[in-house]
Amino acid sequence: MTRLRKGTISVKWDTRIGNATVVEGTIISEGGVSIEGTVNGAVSCRESAAVHDGGKLHGDLEAENACIAGYVEGSIKTRNAVEVISTGKVKGDIDSSSLTVAEGVVFDGNCHMTGKPGGESDYSVISKSCPENSIPLVKRVSKLFSHVKDLFGIKNTSSSSQ
Protein backbone atom coordinates (compact mmCIF):
# COMPACT_ATOMS: atom_id res chain seq x y z
CA MET A 1 0.00 0.00 0.00
CA THR A 2 1.34 3.44 -0.96
CA ARG A 3 0.38 6.85 0.45
CA LEU A 4 0.05 10.28 -1.13
CA ARG A 5 -0.71 13.52 0.64
CA LYS A 6 -2.11 16.40 -1.39
CA GLY A 7 -3.22 19.41 0.63
CA THR A 8 -5.81 18.31 3.16
CA ILE A 9 -6.52 14.79 1.90
CA SER A 10 -4.26 11.89 2.75
CA VAL A 11 -4.69 9.32 0.00
CA LYS A 12 -3.69 5.69 0.44
CA TRP A 13 -4.31 3.09 -2.21
CA ASP A 14 -4.14 -0.63 -2.77
CA THR A 15 -4.74 -0.48 -6.53
CA ARG A 16 -2.49 1.53 -8.85
CA ILE A 17 -3.14 2.13 -12.55
CA GLY A 18 0.31 3.05 -13.91
CA ASN A 19 0.93 5.85 -16.40
CA ALA A 20 1.41 3.47 -19.34
CA THR A 21 -1.79 1.53 -18.57
CA VAL A 22 -5.26 1.83 -20.11
CA VAL A 23 -8.14 0.08 -18.34
CA GLU A 24 -11.45 -0.52 -20.13
CA GLY A 25 -14.33 -1.25 -17.77
CA THR A 26 -15.47 -0.80 -14.18
CA ILE A 27 -13.07 -0.90 -11.23
CA ILE A 28 -14.46 -1.86 -7.82
CA SER A 29 -12.04 -1.86 -4.88
CA GLU A 30 -12.36 -2.41 -1.14
CA GLY A 31 -9.25 -0.23 -0.74
CA GLY A 32 -8.07 2.97 -2.42
CA VAL A 33 -7.34 3.51 -6.13
CA SER A 34 -4.55 5.55 -7.75
CA ILE A 35 -4.92 6.49 -11.42
CA GLU A 36 -1.78 7.63 -13.23
CA GLY A 37 -2.82 6.16 -16.60
CA THR A 38 -6.24 6.07 -18.27
CA VAL A 39 -9.45 4.43 -17.08
CA ASN A 40 -12.41 4.26 -19.46
CA GLY A 41 -15.16 3.22 -17.06
CA ALA A 42 -16.49 3.83 -13.57
CA VAL A 43 -14.34 3.60 -10.43
CA SER A 44 -15.87 2.73 -7.09
CA CYS A 45 -13.73 2.30 -4.02
CA ARG A 46 -14.35 2.06 -0.31
CA GLU A 47 -11.34 4.25 0.58
CA SER A 48 -9.77 7.26 -1.15
CA ALA A 49 -9.08 7.73 -4.86
CA ALA A 50 -6.45 9.84 -6.62
CA VAL A 51 -6.27 10.88 -10.26
CA HIS A 52 -2.70 12.10 -10.67
CA ASP A 53 -1.39 14.81 -13.02
CA GLY A 54 -1.44 13.11 -16.42
CA GLY A 55 -4.03 10.55 -15.26
CA LYS A 56 -7.42 10.37 -16.99
CA LEU A 57 -10.74 8.98 -15.85
CA HIS A 58 -13.59 8.81 -18.38
CA GLY A 59 -16.36 7.63 -16.09
CA ASP A 60 -17.94 8.21 -12.69
CA LEU A 61 -15.90 8.12 -9.48
CA GLU A 62 -17.25 7.09 -6.09
CA ALA A 63 -14.96 7.02 -3.04
CA GLU A 64 -14.48 8.03 0.59
CA ASN A 65 -12.29 10.99 -0.50
CA ALA A 66 -10.95 12.05 -3.90
CA CYS A 67 -7.84 13.98 -4.84
CA ILE A 68 -7.87 15.17 -8.47
CA ALA A 69 -4.69 16.44 -10.13
CA GLY A 70 -5.46 14.99 -13.58
CA TYR A 71 -8.55 14.86 -15.81
CA VAL A 72 -11.98 13.48 -14.85
CA GLU A 73 -14.90 13.38 -17.27
CA GLY A 74 -17.78 12.07 -15.20
CA SER A 75 -19.44 12.65 -11.87
CA ILE A 76 -17.49 12.52 -8.62
CA LYS A 77 -19.33 11.40 -5.49
CA THR A 78 -17.56 11.13 -2.14
CA ARG A 79 -18.69 10.42 1.38
CA ASN A 80 -16.27 13.04 2.74
CA ALA A 81 -13.99 15.34 0.75
CA VAL A 82 -12.93 16.23 -2.79
CA GLU A 83 -9.75 18.19 -3.42
CA VAL A 84 -8.95 19.43 -6.93
CA ILE A 85 -5.29 20.41 -7.32
CA SER A 86 -4.25 23.29 -9.64
CA THR A 87 -3.50 20.89 -12.53
CA GLY A 88 -6.93 19.24 -12.16
CA LYS A 89 -9.70 19.35 -14.72
CA VAL A 90 -13.20 18.10 -13.92
CA LYS A 91 -15.97 17.89 -16.49
CA GLY A 92 -18.95 16.61 -14.54
CA ASP A 93 -20.86 17.04 -11.31
CA ILE A 94 -19.35 16.83 -7.82
CA ASP A 95 -21.37 15.56 -4.85
CA SER A 96 -19.46 15.80 -1.58
CA SER A 97 -19.60 17.14 1.95
CA SER A 98 -16.36 19.14 1.50
CA LEU A 99 -14.72 20.62 -1.60
CA THR A 100 -11.32 22.27 -1.97
CA VAL A 101 -10.50 23.82 -5.35
CA ALA A 102 -7.07 25.30 -6.07
CA GLU A 103 -6.51 28.36 -8.23
CA GLY A 104 -6.15 27.43 -11.90
CA VAL A 105 -8.51 24.44 -11.80
CA VAL A 106 -10.90 23.90 -14.71
CA PHE A 107 -14.33 22.77 -13.43
CA ASP A 108 -17.31 22.44 -15.75
CA GLY A 109 -20.28 21.05 -13.89
CA ASN A 110 -22.49 21.37 -10.85
CA CYS A 111 -21.49 20.98 -7.23
CA HIS A 112 -23.84 19.61 -4.61
CA MET A 113 -22.60 19.85 -1.04
CA THR A 114 -24.27 18.48 2.05
CA GLY A 115 -21.91 19.76 4.74
CA LYS A 116 -22.12 16.40 6.49
CA PRO A 117 -21.53 12.92 5.13
CA GLY A 118 -24.98 11.60 4.23
CA GLY A 119 -26.64 14.85 5.37
CA GLU A 120 -29.30 16.94 3.69
CA SER A 121 -28.38 19.60 1.18
CA ASP A 122 -27.35 22.97 2.56
CA TYR A 123 -26.75 24.54 -0.86
CA SER A 124 -25.69 23.80 -4.40
CA VAL A 125 -23.21 25.60 -6.62
CA ILE A 126 -23.20 25.79 -10.40
CA SER A 127 -19.74 26.38 -11.80
CA LYS A 128 -18.33 26.68 -15.30
CA SER A 129 -14.76 26.91 -16.52
CA CYS A 130 -13.53 30.44 -16.73
CA PRO A 131 -10.62 32.14 -18.42
CA GLU A 132 -7.53 32.84 -16.34
CA ASN A 133 -8.11 36.62 -16.46
CA SER A 134 -11.42 36.18 -14.58
CA ILE A 135 -9.74 34.75 -11.46
CA PRO A 136 -9.88 38.14 -9.62
CA LEU A 137 -13.63 38.28 -10.28
CA VAL A 138 -14.06 34.73 -8.96
CA LYS A 139 -12.17 35.70 -5.79
CA ARG A 140 -14.40 38.77 -5.29
CA VAL A 141 -17.58 36.73 -5.79
CA SER A 142 -16.26 34.12 -3.35
CA LYS A 143 -15.61 36.84 -0.77
CA LEU A 144 -19.14 38.20 -1.36
CA PHE A 145 -20.63 34.74 -0.72
CA SER A 146 -18.59 34.51 2.50
CA HIS A 147 -20.10 37.80 3.67
CA VAL A 148 -23.62 36.65 2.76
CA LYS A 149 -23.09 33.37 4.64
CA ASP A 150 -21.85 35.33 7.68
CA LEU A 151 -24.85 37.66 7.46
CA PHE A 152 -27.30 34.74 7.50
CA GLY A 153 -25.30 32.65 9.97
CA ILE A 154 -24.59 29.84 7.50
CA LYS A 155 -21.70 27.68 8.67
CA ASN A 156 -18.83 27.11 6.24
CA THR A 157 -19.17 23.61 4.76
CA SER A 158 -16.31 23.81 2.29
CA SER A 159 -12.82 25.18 2.07
CA SER A 160 -10.67 26.39 -0.76
CA SER A 161 -6.94 26.90 -1.02
CA GLN A 162 -5.44 30.02 -2.49
Side-chain angles (χ1 to χ4, degrees):
M1 182 181 317
T2 310
R3 282 191 169 289
L4 168 70
R5 179 144 177 93
K6 292 275 192 184
T8 59
I9 296 176
S10 178
V11 181
K12 60 181 181 174
W13 58 81
D14 300 302
T15 303
R16 178 177 169 254
I17 309 302
N19 64 357
T21 304
V22 176
V23 174
E24 299 283 341
T26 300
I27 296 173
I28 300 172
S29 173
E30 288 295 315
V33 175
S34 168
I35 301 170
E36 297 170 25
T38 301
V39 175
N40 295 316
V43 174
S44 176
C45 59
R46 186 163 281 207
E47 294 183 17
S48 296
V51 179
H52 297 266
D53 191 7
K56 295 178 183 130
L57 172 60
H58 300 280
D60 296 340
L61 172 63
E62 188 171 336
E64 183 72 23
N65 299 295
C67 182
I68 311 298
Y71 178 76
V72 176
E73 185 175 339
S75 66
I76 299 171
K77 183 175 184 176
T78 65
R79 292 174 288 286
N80 286 316
V82 174
E83 181 175 5
V84 187
I85 307 303
S86 63
T87 56
K89 293 177 177 64
V90 176
K91 185 175 183 179
D93 296 343
I94 296 175
D95 187 350
S96 180
S97 61
S98 173
L99 174 63
T100 302
V101 179
E103 189 171 319
V105 164
V106 175
F107 173 50
D108 185 2
N110 298 311
C111 177
H112 177 256
M113 296 179 61
T114 61
K116 299 176 225 161
E120 298 223 359
S121 174
D122 292 330
Y123 57 91
S124 293
V125 176
I126 296 175
S127 175
K128 297 289 180 191
S129 341
C130 53
E132 211 169 294
N133 62 359
S134 66
I135 300 269
L137 175 63
V138 171
K139 287 182 179 178
R140 283 184 288 189
V141 170
S142 178
K143 190 177 265 188
L144 174 65
F145 279 122
S146 292
H147 291 301
V148 169
K149 288 191 316 188
D150 290 343
L151 179 66
F152 289 102
I154 298 170
K155 293 181 182 168
N156 191 12
T157 59
S158 69
S159 62
S160 64
S161 62
Q162 295 185 16

PDB file of all heavy atoms in Angstrom, residues 19 35-38 51-56 69-71 87:
ATOM      1  N   ASN A  19       1.071   4.852 -15.345  1.00  0.00           N
ATOM      2  CA  ASN A  19       0.926   5.853 -16.404  1.00  0.00           C
ATOM      3  C   ASN A  19       0.948   5.276 -17.813  1.00  0.00           C
ATOM      4  O   ASN A  19       0.527   5.931 -18.741  1.00  0.00           O
ATOM      5  CB  ASN A  19       1.958   6.971 -16.247  1.00  0.00           C
ATOM      6  CG  ASN A  19       3.379   6.481 -16.404  1.00  0.00           C
ATOM      7  OD1 ASN A  19       3.617   5.292 -16.577  1.00  0.00           O
ATOM      8  ND2 ASN A  19       4.316   7.398 -16.322  1.00  0.00           N
ATOM      9  N   ILE A  35      -4.875   6.514  -9.959  1.00  0.00           N
ATOM     10  CA  ILE A  35      -4.915   6.489 -11.422  1.00  0.00           C
ATOM     11  C   ILE A  35      -3.856   7.440 -11.960  1.00  0.00           C
ATOM     12  O   ILE A  35      -3.961   8.650 -11.805  1.00  0.00           O
ATOM     13  CB  ILE A  35      -6.316   6.887 -11.949  1.00  0.00           C
ATOM     14  CG1 ILE A  35      -7.366   5.933 -11.394  1.00  0.00           C
ATOM     15  CG2 ILE A  35      -6.323   6.932 -13.472  1.00  0.00           C
ATOM     16  CD1 ILE A  35      -8.795   6.355 -11.649  1.00  0.00           C
ATOM     17  N   GLU A  36      -2.820   6.854 -12.559  1.00  0.00           N
ATOM     18  CA  GLU A  36      -1.782   7.633 -13.228  1.00  0.00           C
ATOM     19  C   GLU A  36      -1.908   7.485 -14.740  1.00  0.00           C
ATOM     20  O   GLU A  36      -1.406   8.304 -15.485  1.00  0.00           O
ATOM     21  CB  GLU A  36      -0.405   7.174 -12.757  1.00  0.00           C
ATOM     22  CG  GLU A  36      -0.186   7.402 -11.283  1.00  0.00           C
ATOM     23  CD  GLU A  36       1.064   6.730 -10.753  1.00  0.00           C
ATOM     24  OE1 GLU A  36       2.001   6.500 -11.548  1.00  0.00           O
ATOM     25  OE2 GLU A  36       1.101   6.430  -9.553  1.00  0.00           O
ATOM     26  N   GLY A  37      -2.572   6.423 -15.178  1.00  0.00           N
ATOM     27  CA  GLY A  37      -2.818   6.160 -16.596  1.00  0.00           C
ATOM     28  C   GLY A  37      -4.219   6.583 -16.973  1.00  0.00           C
ATOM     29  O   GLY A  37      -4.703   7.621 -16.533  1.00  0.00           O
ATOM     30  N   THR A  38      -4.896   5.751 -17.778  1.00  0.00           N
ATOM     31  CA  THR A  38      -6.237   6.065 -18.270  1.00  0.00           C
ATOM     32  C   THR A  38      -7.207   4.963 -17.885  1.00  0.00           C
ATOM     33  O   THR A  38      -6.909   3.781 -18.052  1.00  0.00           O
ATOM     34  CB  THR A  38      -6.223   6.216 -19.806  1.00  0.00           C
ATOM     35  OG1 THR A  38      -5.314   7.249 -20.149  1.00  0.00           O
ATOM     36  CG2 THR A  38      -7.600   6.561 -20.347  1.00  0.00           C
ATOM     37  N   VAL A  51      -6.549  10.806  -8.827  1.00  0.00           N
ATOM     38  CA  VAL A  51      -6.269  10.881 -10.263  1.00  0.00           C
ATOM     39  C   VAL A  51      -5.096  11.857 -10.364  1.00  0.00           C
ATOM     40  O   VAL A  51      -5.248  13.050 -10.135  1.00  0.00           O
ATOM     41  CB  VAL A  51      -7.482  11.371 -11.077  1.00  0.00           C
ATOM     42  CG1 VAL A  51      -7.127  11.445 -12.558  1.00  0.00           C
ATOM     43  CG2 VAL A  51      -8.679  10.458 -10.860  1.00  0.00           C
ATOM     44  N   HIS A  52      -3.932  11.317 -10.662  1.00  0.00           N
ATOM     45  CA  HIS A  52      -2.699  12.099 -10.670  1.00  0.00           C
ATOM     46  C   HIS A  52      -2.592  12.977 -11.912  1.00  0.00           C
ATOM     47  O   HIS A  52      -3.283  12.744 -12.909  1.00  0.00           O
ATOM     48  CB  HIS A  52      -1.487  11.158 -10.606  1.00  0.00           C
ATOM     49  CG  HIS A  52      -1.436  10.372  -9.351  1.00  0.00           C
ATOM     50  ND1 HIS A  52      -0.734  10.768  -8.250  1.00  0.00           N
ATOM     51  CD2 HIS A  52      -2.023   9.191  -9.013  1.00  0.00           C
ATOM     52  CE1 HIS A  52      -0.873   9.877  -7.290  1.00  0.00           C
ATOM     53  NE2 HIS A  52      -1.658   8.914  -7.731  1.00  0.00           N
ATOM     54  N   ASP A  53      -1.685  13.958 -11.865  1.00  0.00           N
ATOM     55  CA  ASP A  53      -1.388  14.805 -13.018  1.00  0.00           C
ATOM     56  C   ASP A  53      -0.982  13.894 -14.172  1.00  0.00           C
ATOM     57  O   ASP A  53      -0.086  13.068 -14.019  1.00  0.00           O
ATOM     58  CB  ASP A  53      -0.252  15.772 -12.660  1.00  0.00           C
ATOM     59  CG  ASP A  53      -0.058  16.854 -13.700  1.00  0.00           C
ATOM     60  OD1 ASP A  53      -0.876  16.942 -14.635  1.00  0.00           O
ATOM     61  OD2 ASP A  53       0.917  17.615 -13.565  1.00  0.00           O
ATOM     62  N   GLY A  54      -1.668  14.004 -15.282  1.00  0.00           N
ATOM     63  CA  GLY A  54      -1.439  13.112 -16.420  1.00  0.00           C
ATOM     64  C   GLY A  54      -2.397  11.933 -16.452  1.00  0.00           C
ATOM     65  O   GLY A  54      -2.571  11.290 -17.475  1.00  0.00           O
ATOM     66  N   GLY A  55      -3.046  11.630 -15.329  1.00  0.00           N
ATOM     67  CA  GLY A  55      -4.027  10.549 -15.263  1.00  0.00           C
ATOM     68  C   GLY A  55      -5.363  11.011 -15.824  1.00  0.00           C
ATOM     69  O   GLY A  55      -5.699  12.193 -15.765  1.00  0.00           O
ATOM     70  N   LYS A  56      -6.121  10.048 -16.393  1.00  0.00           N
ATOM     71  CA  LYS A  56      -7.423  10.368 -16.990  1.00  0.00           C
ATOM     72  C   LYS A  56      -8.456   9.343 -16.557  1.00  0.00           C
ATOM     73  O   LYS A  56      -8.198   8.148 -16.604  1.00  0.00           O
ATOM     74  CB  LYS A  56      -7.327  10.366 -18.511  1.00  0.00           C
ATOM     75  CG  LYS A  56      -6.438  11.449 -19.061  1.00  0.00           C
ATOM     76  CD  LYS A  56      -6.354  11.368 -20.574  1.00  0.00           C
ATOM     77  CE  LYS A  56      -5.402  12.428 -21.050  1.00  0.00           C
ATOM     78  NZ  LYS A  56      -4.400  11.935 -21.948  1.00  0.00           N
ATOM     79  N   ALA A  69      -5.752  15.618  -9.564  1.00  0.00           N
ATOM     80  CA  ALA A  69      -4.692  16.445 -10.132  1.00  0.00           C
ATOM     81  C   ALA A  69      -4.644  16.258 -11.643  1.00  0.00           C
ATOM     82  O   ALA A  69      -3.949  16.980 -12.340  1.00  0.00           O
ATOM     83  CB  ALA A  69      -3.337  16.094  -9.517  1.00  0.00           C
ATOM     84  N   GLY A  70      -5.397  15.284 -12.147  1.00  0.00           N
ATOM     85  CA  GLY A  70      -5.460  14.986 -13.578  1.00  0.00           C
ATOM     86  C   GLY A  70      -6.807  15.381 -14.155  1.00  0.00           C
ATOM     87  O   GLY A  70      -7.398  16.380 -13.743  1.00  0.00           O
ATOM     88  N   TYR A  71      -7.317  14.556 -15.072  1.00  0.00           N
ATOM     89  CA  TYR A  71      -8.555  14.861 -15.807  1.00  0.00           C
ATOM     90  C   TYR A  71      -9.640  13.849 -15.456  1.00  0.00           C
ATOM     91  O   TYR A  71      -9.405  12.631 -15.506  1.00  0.00           O
ATOM     92  CB  TYR A  71      -8.271  14.829 -17.311  1.00  0.00           C
ATOM     93  CG  TYR A  71      -9.483  15.076 -18.169  1.00  0.00           C
ATOM     94  CD1 TYR A  71     -10.002  16.349 -18.312  1.00  0.00           C
ATOM     95  CD2 TYR A  71     -10.113  14.029 -18.836  1.00  0.00           C
ATOM     96  CE1 TYR A  71     -11.117  16.584 -19.106  1.00  0.00           C
ATOM     97  CE2 TYR A  71     -11.224  14.251 -19.635  1.00  0.00           C
ATOM     98  CZ  TYR A  71     -11.726  15.531 -19.765  1.00  0.00           C
ATOM     99  OH  TYR A  71     -12.837  15.760 -20.550  1.00  0.00           O
ATOM    100  N   THR A  87      -3.604  21.517 -11.203  1.00  0.00           N
ATOM    101  CA  THR A  87      -3.504  20.895 -12.530  1.00  0.00           C
ATOM    102  C   THR A  87      -4.765  20.103 -12.882  1.00  0.00           C
ATOM    103  O   THR A  87      -4.862  19.559 -13.975  1.00  0.00           O
ATOM    104  CB  THR A  87      -2.294  19.941 -12.588  1.00  0.00           C
ATOM    105  OG1 THR A  87      -2.418  18.978 -11.526  1.00  0.00           O
ATOM    106  CG2 THR A  87      -0.989  20.705 -12.462  1.00  0.00           C
TER     107      THR A  87
END
